[in-house]
Every structure is written in C-alpha cells, then in structure tokens.
Amino acid sequence: MRAFLLLIWLAGSLLWLSQDHLIRDGDEEGHVGAAELLRLHLDGGELLAFAHDAWRGDLGEYPPLYPALVGMWWWLGGSGQPGAVPIRAINLLGLMLAAWATATLAARLQNARGYEPHPVLHPENTAAITAMALVLTLPLANGLARHFMPEGLLVGWVALSVLTATWTSDRGDNPSLAVLGVVLGVGMLIKQTFAPLAILPVVVAGAGIRTGWPLVLFVASVVAGPWYLDHWADQSRYVSQSVQAGPLGSQWAHLQYYPAALLHLIGGPVAVAAALVGAIIAARKGSKGPRRGLAIALAWLLGVAILAFIPKKYPRLAAPVAPALALLAGLGAAHLRRREVLPVAAVVGGTAWLVWTSTTPPHTPSWVPTVDEKCPQRWIRPANPDDMGLSAIVDALSVAPEGALAVAHAPEIPCAVQTTHPWRNHLDPYLRRAGIERDVVDGTSRRAAVQATFLPEALAEPGDVAVPSLELVLRIETR
C-alpha cells in the first residue's frame, strides 16, 4: 500500500512538472547557478575538484552539498536545460525521503510492544500508511519539491535524522552513533537551518543515547566542520544579518506568523486536523511507543518556536517541521476502533487539498499576519506552461544564419507572476544551457540575424509567440 501511494504521488508530481515552464524564482535560479558551476567540474573530468567543492566549496552564503547533488544529477542527465523534467525531478527525492522516514518512524514507534502480522490494517501498517499519505500531500513541501530549493531536501533530511536518532537510541552501539553523526553532519551541509529544526526532536528521539553524544558530535563535526571553519567569517555575518533584520510587524504578529502559516500552508488544514486527533488518541490510549512518538513530534513542532525569534519570516524555512503532523496522525490512527477511517481520510482529504492548492491561484488569508512587505514567494501554485518565449528564441536561433540576436522591449517580470529577475537576465543562461553562442544586443538592430521584440497583445500578428503571463506577444524575425 505504501509503495502504491508513493507511485501515485510520483506520477502526479511528474505530470505537474511536465506542464510547468515558468521562469525560475530568483533564489531558485541562484541555486541552479551554483549547481552549474559544480557540474562544470564533472564536464571537465575534474572529479577531485567536484568532491572538494561539494564538501568545502565557496558558493555563497549556503553550504554546497545541495547544489552539488543537483549538479551531479544534471551532469548524469546530459546537461541541457535544468528545467527539463528528468533533471528537475531530482528535487522530488526530498519529499520521498520524508514520506519513507516518517512512515518508518511511525511504524517503529507503534510496534514497540510487538504485534502479530495482519494484512494491511494492523496497527503498524495503519500508522505508516496514514503518516505517508499525509507527508506526500503536505502543500508547501510539495511546492518545494517541485523547485530547486534546499529546503525541499531538508524536509526529508530532518525526518531522516529523527528516525536515525530513534534507531540509534534503541541500539546504543558505536556504529549506530557514528551513523547518526554522519546524518547530522550532512544535514548541516544542506543548509544552516537544519540545526534549529533538528536539534529538539533529535535530542528527544535520542534520549537513550546518554553518554554517546560526544561521539555523535565528533563525527558530525568531522563531516560539516571543515566547511564552517573555512567560512566562519562569512557565516558570522550571515547569522548576524538574519538576527538583526528589522521586523516590519509587531512582536505579536511575529509570534503568530508560523502557527498561522502551519495551518494555512506549511501543514494545511487536513494535516493539522489529523494531527490534533492523532495526538489526543495517542495521549489517551497509546502505549510506551506512541507516547514516545508524541514527545518526539511535539519537540519536532517546537522548531517553529525557535524560528519565531528570527526576524526574517519565510514559510519555507519551517517546512521541515510538517512531517511531525503526519507522525502524530499515524500514531493516533493505529488506536481507532475502525482503523481504516483515518488512513482513508488522510488519503482523500490530503489529496483533495493538494490538488486544490496545485490548481488554483495562490492566496494568503487575512488571518495570516503580514511581517514582510516584499512580494511573497509562491511555491505551491498551478503549473504554468508559459516560458515567456525562451524556447521559441532558441528554436529560431538554431536555424538562423550566423549573427547576433537583438532583443527589444525586454520586460520586467512582476512579482504577481514570479519573484525573479527581469526577463533579460534569464536569456543568456538559457542560451548557454541550450548550447547556443550568439552575441546578444539590446534594442533593434538591422544587422542582427534574429530580432526579438516584445509587444502588447493588441498588436499581435499571426506567427507571434503568446506570452500570456505578461499579457504580451513576442515577435521573432529572422533577417
């Protein structure tokens, strides 16, 4: 059943990706650019340089492991446009990992007392199926899994860290302690926010480790320490800027922000409601395992309290806490008299909410506090087939005679469409990744081999390329 749910989700996710060609968000494009730099090492056969930069490289304010993963997958896929579905699909692994880890954790905790095998709906399977269904339908986590953002991988890695801490606590031997250290070190190389999100649930899940923590921390330091030591000054400035960022709303608005976003976007009403029901049932009827799971899940959710004290507020930062809601729901589902109720409700309700958020224009309810006047990034949204004429320009250049490309009236992209750079900034990388080398000039040029001009829809002529997102058309003329 779990494999079936995963396959259905994967098919739906690939369908969405195949229909979406919108120009990437500005932050997303930055991660793709970093991945491209690392991919160039592999293109040149410089495997040692790639390995070094994937571990200790300087690619800006974030650790290099996520762009290294993307760059390696991009290289294996034969380069080309990173927006191609096979390349973009690498991001789905983060949510698949979260679903597997959370379901496995729910089953492990529920089966702490041991149950006789029973088809599908014995308590262990009920907990796992419910948890997996809810993780796979988390709205923001799905949105991040469709884009090149490290938080998507972090959703899965935090869940894996909690599962590993639980396993290590139960075993207590040195090999398992070393494994936990590696997992935590890798998490720190994905993004710095791994620490505040993972520390509480890992400590609670690993309560039985006791004197083994020094070994765990030593191994984690060996894995992640070199990068942080190399970038200590830059990271100190980064943390200072994040902490000192001036809040625009009241302190009360900042405290309300993540709980409101948890209900609206991070978890969604289906997962939150299922978690509340599951927590009550697990607290009242649960045995030792589910009660332990309750403590782990609550510590996991407290990550939003830690983030509340950081002035910068982005829902994507808190996305890795959402699988805790699925864990609570799974643990409670196993103790219902009719065990099929909550798994079925999770599948049906979660799927309906995900489909709705993936096919209707995004909006922010009035009860979610405003703490930032900038345009919000919209990660969960309908697929947009409009690539704003980029592929049409590549098609024209591929058959045009030698000469430059001239672009007139290149538009800005309003944040209501996408929070990104002007259209012109996306052109050069797109041409380079398509293997086209042409001089590009701004404006109109009679000497250009291809002239591309953006015009209002009212001036459209047959043969013009529609750019509906901007209410423009693109006229491409080959000289």
Side-chain angles (χ1 to χ4, degrees):
M1 183 63 178
R2 279 179 267 176
F4 176 74
L5 290 176
L6 197 59
L7 287 174
I8 294 297
W9 171 83
L10 184 60
S13 297
L14 292 174
L15 176 63
W16 191 97
L17 292 178
S18 69
Q19 296 178 346
D20 183 65
H21 302 285
L22 185 64
I23 283 176
R24 279 180 291 277
D25 173 87
D27 286 345
E28 188 183 9
E29 187 62 37
H31 296 302
V32 170
E36 187 172 23
L37 291 175
L38 286 161
R39 194 207 72 203
L40 291 176
H41 287 319
L42 297 174
D43 287 342
E46 301 172 350
L47 300 182
L48 291 178
F50 172 83
H52 176 273
D53 284 354
W55 183 32
R56 303 179 65 167
D58 186 3
L59 295 173
E61 60 191 18
Y62 298 124
L65 190 58
Y66 171 72
L69 174 66
V70 173
M72 182 175 63
W73 184 256
W74 193 355
W75 174 71
L76 290 172
S79 301
Q81 296 296 342
V85 173
I87 308 303
R88 199 171 169 184
I90 186 65
N91 298 293
L92 300 176
L93 291 179
L95 193 51
M96 292 171 68
L97 176 60
W100 171 82
T102 309
T104 302
L105 179 59
R108 183 182 186 89
L109 293 168
Q110 178 54 46
N111 203 35
R113 283 176 32 186
Y115 287 91
E116 292 298 323
H118 187 279
V120 183
L121 290 177
H122 67 80
E124 180 182 350
N125 268 345
T126 303
I129 292 169
T130 305
M132 176 169 277
L134 286 174
V135 171
L136 290 176
T137 55
L138 291 169
L140 181 55
N142 271 275
L144 292 169
R146 297 166 182 170
H147 298 84
F148 291 100
M149 294 297 290
E151 289 85 358
L153 179 58
L154 211 58
V155 172
W157 210 262
V158 170
L160 177 64
S161 300
V162 177
L163 172 62
T164 306
T166 306
W167 170 75
T168 302
S169 179
D170 294 341
R171 287 176 59 94
D173 54 10
N174 286 340
S176 64
L177 294 171
V179 169
L180 178 59
V182 170
V183 170
L184 297 182
V186 170
M188 288 299 296
L189 288 178
I190 296 174
K191 195 179 179 187
Q192 299 92 326
T193 49
F194 172 81
L197 294 169
I199 185 170
L200 291 178
V202 165
V203 168
V204 173
I209 292 175
R210 297 189 179 92
T211 59
W213 284 112
L215 177 57
V216 173
L217 296 177
F218 171 75
V219 174
S221 298
V222 170
V223 174
W227 187 85
Y228 282 91
L229 287 174
D230 291 346
H231 301 82
W232 182 256
D234 292 338
Q235 289 304 295
S236 297
R237 285 193 296 270
Y238 171 70
V239 172
S240 177
Q241 291 170 358
S242 297
V243 171
Q244 295 177 8
L248 297 177
S250 66
Q251 191 62 42
W252 177 239
H254 276 256
L255 293 175
Q256 286 181 296
Y257 181 77
Y258 281 120
L262 191 69
L263 176 60
H264 163 58
L265 183 63
I266 298 169
V270 175
V272 171
L276 288 173
V277 172
I280 293 171
I281 296 172
R284 293 179 59 187
K285 299 182 178 181
S287 57
K288 181 180 178 181
R291 288 180 182 274
R292 180 187 178 192
L294 181 61
I296 292 171
L298 294 179
W300 200 341
L301 289 170
L302 280 176
V304 299
I306 297 175
L307 293 176
F309 291 97
I310 300 175
K312 288 184 177 180
K313 297 291 188 299
Y314 302 113
R316 58 183 166 86
L317 298 182
V321 308
L325 300 171
L327 176 60
L328 288 172
L331 294 175
H335 293 274
L336 288 174
R337 181 171 299 176
R338 298 187 61 183
R339 292 193 190 122
E340 73 277 7
V341 172
L342 204 47
V344 170
V347 171
V348 174
T351 301
W353 184 255
L354 177 61
V355 170
W356 185 78
T357 55
S358 299
T359 55
T360 58
H363 73 286
T364 302
S366 59
W367 44 267
V368 177
T370 300
V371 295
D372 194 335
E373 292 179 350
K374 294 186 297 184
C375 287
Q377 295 173 311
R378 304 293 192 181
W379 300 114
I380 186 73
R381 57 172 176 78
N384 189 334
D386 186 5
D387 73 351
M388 302 185 186
L390 289 171
S391 61
I393 288 177
V394 166
D395 291 342
L397 289 173
S398 64
V399 297
E402 293 295 322
L405 165 67
V407 179
H409 310 305
E412 299 285 330
I413 299 176
C415 63
V417 175
Q418 182 66 289
T419 50
T420 191
H421 309 295
W423 182 92
R424 181 66 177 79
N425 292 45
H426 292 269
L427 177 61
D428 291 338
Y430 196 92
L431 295 180
R432 181 180 68 249
R433 293 160 185 166
I436 293 178
E437 297 183 6
R438 300 266 186 153
D439 291 331
V440 181
V441 298
D442 296 316
T444 302
S445 173
R446 294 182 178 273
R447 304 173 69 177
V450 174
Q451 174 70 55
T453 306
F454 284 92
L455 299 166
E457 287 180 327
L459 300 179
E461 296 181 356
D464 289 347
V465 178
V467 186
S469 296
L470 304 178
E471 298 181 349
L472 298 172
V473 295
L474 176 62
R475 184 167 299 162
I476 302 175
E477 302 168 291
T478 302
R479 305 297 189 189

